[in-house]
Amino acid sequence: MRQPFRLGFLTHVEGPGEPRQIYQETLELFTAADQLGFDTVWVAQHHFIGHPGRLPSPFPFLAAVAERTRRLRLGTSIVVLPLETPLRVAEDAAVVDTLSGGRLELGVGSGGDLKEFDAFGIDSAQRHERTTTGLHLLQRALRGEVLGDSGQILQPPAPTLVERLWQSAMSERGADFVARNGAGLLLSRAAWGREEPTDQIQLPVAQSYRGAWEQFSPLAGAPRIGLSRGVYPAADTRTALAEIREGVMRDVRARIKAGQMPAGLPLERYCAYMHLAYGHSEEVAATLAADKVLPYTTDLILQFNPVKPPLAQAIRMLEQIATEIAPALGWQPAPQA
C-alpha cells in the first residue's frame, strides 16, 4: 500500500540537564524512532545561550545519529543559511550524506532570531538576500559544478543530495521562490501573531507552492511539502493538559512579551494558537486528520515542543505515534531489516 506521507519527528535538542546529557538522550530517542519505523528525524539549529535550542552544529550530531541507525533519514530543519558559508555547508552535508549512505535531508532557511545575526556581526536586513545567494551557490556545489578558476568541485561528491534540499517559507511569495528553485517546502508548526488557525493560513502557501512547482519545476520530480505539527499524546485530554501546562505557559509568556499572543487566555486557547494536538491517541489523530494542509503533505513532521517530556516518556509517546496515531492516518511503519 502506498504511504500517504513519510513520518518524521523533530526536536530542538533541548531539555533540563547538561548539554552532553541532552545530546545523549536525543541520540537514544532517535535510535528508538529508527526501531519504531519512523522515516525521518529532524533537528533544528540554534545559536547561543538563552534560546530554547541547544544545537548550533547539526552536522556532527547527525553523523553520530547515522552511526546508531540503519534506515532512518536525517534532516536539518533548518540550517540558518545567511549565518553560514554556503560551501562549508555543502562540504559538511556531503560528508554526513556519504557516511549515512545517502540518508541526509538538507533543510535551510533565512532564520528569524535577529539576536543571532547581531552576535555574528551580520545585518539581519540582508538575511533574505544572503539566503538567495547562498542557496544558489549551495545548489551549484551539490550538483558538482565547477566552483573556481582551477576546476574545484565539491568533495566528497553528493550528486543526489540536491534532490533532497528543503527550504522553509511562510508566505505565498516565499513558497513560489522555493518551488522555482526545485526545493522541498518546509512549513512551521504554527503561524505566530495571527488570529486565524495555522492550517487556514498555511493552506494557500502550500497551494501556491504546488502551482509554482507545476509551472517552473515539473522536471525536478514530485513537489515535496514537509508539514511540522505539535502533538502531545497522553491517556486522555485531562492528563495531557495537566502535563503540558508548564511548558506551554512558559512559551506563551515569551510570545506575549514578543507581541505574538494576547494575554489572559485559558490554556486550551493557547494550545489552539500553537496548533497543538493533544489528548488520547484517537483525539490527536482526529486533530491531525482535520488539518487542511495534510492532503498536500509528503512529510508529516511531528514534535513535542514546547513541552519537554523525560526520555522514557518521550519514547512511549513515539510508540503511540508509530502504532496508533500515524496508522489512523493511513501510514504504516517500515518493516525492520
Side-chain angles (χ1 to χ4, degrees):
M1 183 179 69
R2 182 179 180 274
Q3 296 277 44
F5 49 77
R6 295 191 301 187
L7 179 62
F9 175 73
L10 181 146
T11 175
H12 291 256
V13 195
E14 56 187 330
E18 296 298 316
R20 185 177 186 276
Q21 176 189 346
I22 295 170
Y23 290 171
Q24 183 60 45
E25 290 186 352
T26 304
L27 289 172
E28 294 180 35
L29 191 64
F30 283 1
T31 301
D34 190 41
Q35 295 168 348
L36 288 167
F38 276 74
D39 299 299
T40 315
V41 289
W42 300 79
V43 292
Q45 181 189 49
H46 298 292
H47 295 284
F48 308 117
I49 298 171
H51 199 286
R54 299 192 182 214
L55 189 64
S57 301
F59 296 114
F61 185 82
L62 290 179
V65 178
E67 288 300 299
R68 289 164 172 79
T69 59
R70 291 294 171 263
R71 43 161 300 281
L72 201 61
R73 308 197 67 77
L74 316 169
T76 60
S77 181
I78 55 168
V79 171
V80 184
L81 195 56
L83 298 181
E84 304 280 351
T85 302
L87 292 184
R88 288 291 297 118
V89 172
E91 289 179 327
D92 287 346
V95 169
V96 174
D97 199 49
T98 300
L99 287 172
S100 66
R103 289 189 279 148
L104 185 64
E105 302 283 334
L106 180 56
V108 301
S110 59
D113 189 340
L114 303 188
K115 297 187 296 295
E116 294 182 346
F117 287 82
D118 179 62
F120 275 94
I122 294 174
D123 183 0
S124 61
Q126 298 179 355
R127 69 185 189 276
H128 296 299
E129 179 183 350
R130 290 174 64 92
T131 300
T132 299
T133 303
L135 179 68
H136 293 158
L137 182 55
L138 179 61
Q139 289 176 310
R140 285 183 54 212
L142 295 178
R143 292 188 184 113
E145 296 179 16
V146 175
L147 301 170
D149 294 336
S150 299
Q152 299 97 320
I153 59 173
L154 178 67
Q155 294 294 337
T160 64
L161 183 52
V162 72
E163 300 166 10
R164 287 171 274 131
L165 188 63
W166 299 77
Q167 189 176 3
S168 62
M170 294 183 289
S171 66
E172 294 176 51
R173 180 180 178 184
D176 184 85
F177 173 82
V178 175
R180 285 171 180 264
N181 285 282
L185 174 66
L186 290 173
L187 295 173
S188 62
R189 68 182 171 94
W192 307 113
R194 300 278 297 274
E195 288 287 339
E196 303 90 344
T198 289
D199 60 335
Q200 182 177 318
I201 295 168
Q202 291 179 337
L203 179 60
V205 178
Q207 293 171 329
S208 178
Y209 170 79
R210 288 277 293 267
W213 185 282
E214 293 173 4
Q215 183 177 359
F216 299 106
S217 301
L219 300 181
R224 295 170 288 126
I225 296 180
L227 180 66
S228 184
R229 288 294 182 254
V231 298
Y232 194 89
D236 50 47
T237 302
R238 187 181 211 176
T239 301
L241 286 172
E243 293 180 358
I244 67 178
R245 177 177 293 276
E246 181 180 353
V248 167
M249 293 310 297
R250 185 190 309 114
D251 191 71
V252 163
R253 287 190 289 271
R255 297 191 182 280
I256 291 174
K257 187 177 181 180
Q260 295 177 334
M261 285 185 181
L265 299 180
L267 176 62
E268 293 89 340
R269 186 71 185 101
Y270 285 126
C271 289
Y273 264 102
M274 293 182 177
H275 211 59
L276 179 62
Y278 57 90
H280 187 272
S281 293
E282 293 180 359
E283 295 175 290
V284 175
T287 300
L288 293 173
D291 196 297
K292 293 180 171 63
V293 189
L294 186 63
Y296 297 84
T297 299
T298 59
D299 288 71
L300 180 60
I301 306 168
L302 303 180
Q303 58 178 297
F304 302 144
N305 193 58
V307 187
K308 308 171 187 63
L311 176 61
Q313 182 181 358
I315 292 176
R316 290 195 299 271
M317 292 163 70
L318 286 184
E319 186 174 4
Q320 280 183 267
I321 292 171
T323 61
E324 299 172 5
I325 297 170
L329 301 174
W331 176 89
Q332 292 296 325
Q336 292 295 314

